[in-house]
């Protein structure tokens, strides 16, 4: 009897695991399909600007990804896209909210760095230069080290910290020339 129970538990566990993996795969594929539609619509913009209706469709799809697929990278990428639209529209508060959402919802490391850099740029544009600088300080920026240093230099210029700006710009140049990231 114990052997039968153990076999049932083992089989049930295996089937449950496989079912969960299949469900997870299907969930990811659904998110991918929605994101692919968004990208197809955005790529048309290269030839001609998006209409307001097209932008609203993209935003609605991005909201769906954020709501129903928040555990996927597609939701984080959608938040970055919505932030771009908000910046283009001059709505820096909305852009900051989108970027912060991305940071608050466990993005992959590379997306976290990109969202942090963009949030810092938005905060500086809002006049919150010290906050922008603080977002970038003491971060391991990996492949974005040069961009982080350049942004720090820009923020230091705004604050009138010319020596610190020079140091940051030099670090950006050095990183770019050596191809190394810190």
């Amino acid at each position: 009897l114990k052997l039968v129970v153990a076999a049932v538990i083992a089989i049930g566990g295996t089937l449950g695991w496989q079912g969960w993996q299949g469900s997870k795969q299907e969930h990811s594929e659904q998110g991918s399909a929605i994101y692919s539609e968004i990208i197809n619509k955005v790529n048309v913009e290269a030839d001609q600007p998006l209409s307001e209706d097209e932008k609203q469709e993209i935003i609605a799809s991005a909201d769906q990804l954020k709501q129903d697929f928040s555990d996927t990278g597609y939701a984080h990428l959608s938040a970055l896209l919505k932030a771009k639209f908000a910046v283009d529209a001059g709505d820096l508060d909305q852009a900051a909210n989108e970027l912060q959402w991305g940071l608050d919802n466990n993005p992959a490391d590379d997306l976290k760095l990109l969202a942090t850099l963009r949030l810092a740029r938005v905060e500086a544009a809002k006049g919150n230069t010290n906050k922008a600088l603080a977002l970038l300080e003491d971060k391991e920026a990996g492949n974005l080290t040069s961009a982080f240093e350049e942004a720090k230099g820009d923020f230091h210029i705004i604050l009138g910290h010319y020596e610190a700006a020079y140091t940051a710009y030099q670090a950006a140049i050095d990183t770019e020339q050596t191809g190394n990231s810190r």
Side-chain angles (χ1 to χ4, degrees), residues 35 38 58 62 66 73-88 94-103 107-108 110-119 122 144:
Y35 189 73
I38 290 173
I58 291 169
K66 286 175 54 187
Y74 304 116
H76 298 108
L77 291 167
S78 292
L80 290 173
L81 180 61
K82 284 186 67 182
K84 180 198 178 308
F85 282 171
V87 167
D88 291 347
Q94 180 62 32
N97 289 339
E98 292 296 335
L99 294 166
Q100 191 61 57
W101 181 92
L103 291 170
D110 55 343
L111 289 176
K112 184 175 186 172
L113 288 171
L114 184 58
T116 299
L117 179 60
R118 289 185 180 179
L119 180 58
V122 167
L144 292 178

Side-chain angles (χ1 to χ4, degrees), residues 7-167:
V8 168
I9 290 174
I11 292 170
T14 300
L15 292 175
W17 175 257
Q18 290 173 346
W20 180 77
Q21 289 288 61
S23 172
K24 188 175 174 183
Q25 176 73 22
E26 182 179 328
H27 179 74
S28 182
E29 287 173 1
Q30 290 171 345
S32 174
I34 294 168
Y35 189 73
S36 291
E37 288 177 29
I38 290 173
I39 293 305
N40 289 337
K41 289 176 186 174
V42 170
N43 284 338
V44 171
E45 182 182 17
D47 297 330
Q48 57 190 1
L50 293 171
S51 70
E52 272 309 306
D53 287 343
E54 291 169 323
K55 283 183 185 177
Q56 291 309 313
E57 288 175 20
I58 291 169
I59 288 170
S61 293
D63 285 339
Q64 180 184 3
L65 283 170
K66 286 175 54 187
Q67 180 179 335
D68 298 339
F69 301 88
S70 63
D71 59 335
T72 68
Y74 304 116
H76 298 108
L77 291 167
S78 292
L80 290 173
L81 180 61
K82 284 186 67 182
K84 180 198 178 308
F85 282 171
V87 167
D88 291 347
D91 190 349
L92 298 179
D93 289 334
Q94 180 62 32
N97 289 339
E98 292 296 335
L99 294 166
Q100 191 61 57
W101 181 92
L103 291 170
D104 292 342
N105 284 277
N106 302 315
D109 289 342
D110 55 343
L111 289 176
K112 184 175 186 172
L113 288 171
L114 184 58
T116 299
L117 179 60
R118 289 185 180 179
L119 180 58
R121 291 270 186 204
V122 167
E123 288 297 339
K126 289 172 55 177
N128 302 326
T129 311
N130 284 319
K131 182 177 180 179
L133 193 55
L135 285 167
L136 303 184
E137 291 296 335
D138 301 321
K139 294 270 195 270
E140 276 297 320
N143 291 333
L144 292 178
T145 297
S146 182
F148 267 57
E149 292 299 328
E150 180 181 0
K152 288 181 200 176
D154 294 345
F155 304 154
H156 282 299
I157 289 286
I158 293 168
L159 295 169
H161 306 153
Y162 301 113
E163 191 171 314
Y166 175 82
T167 301

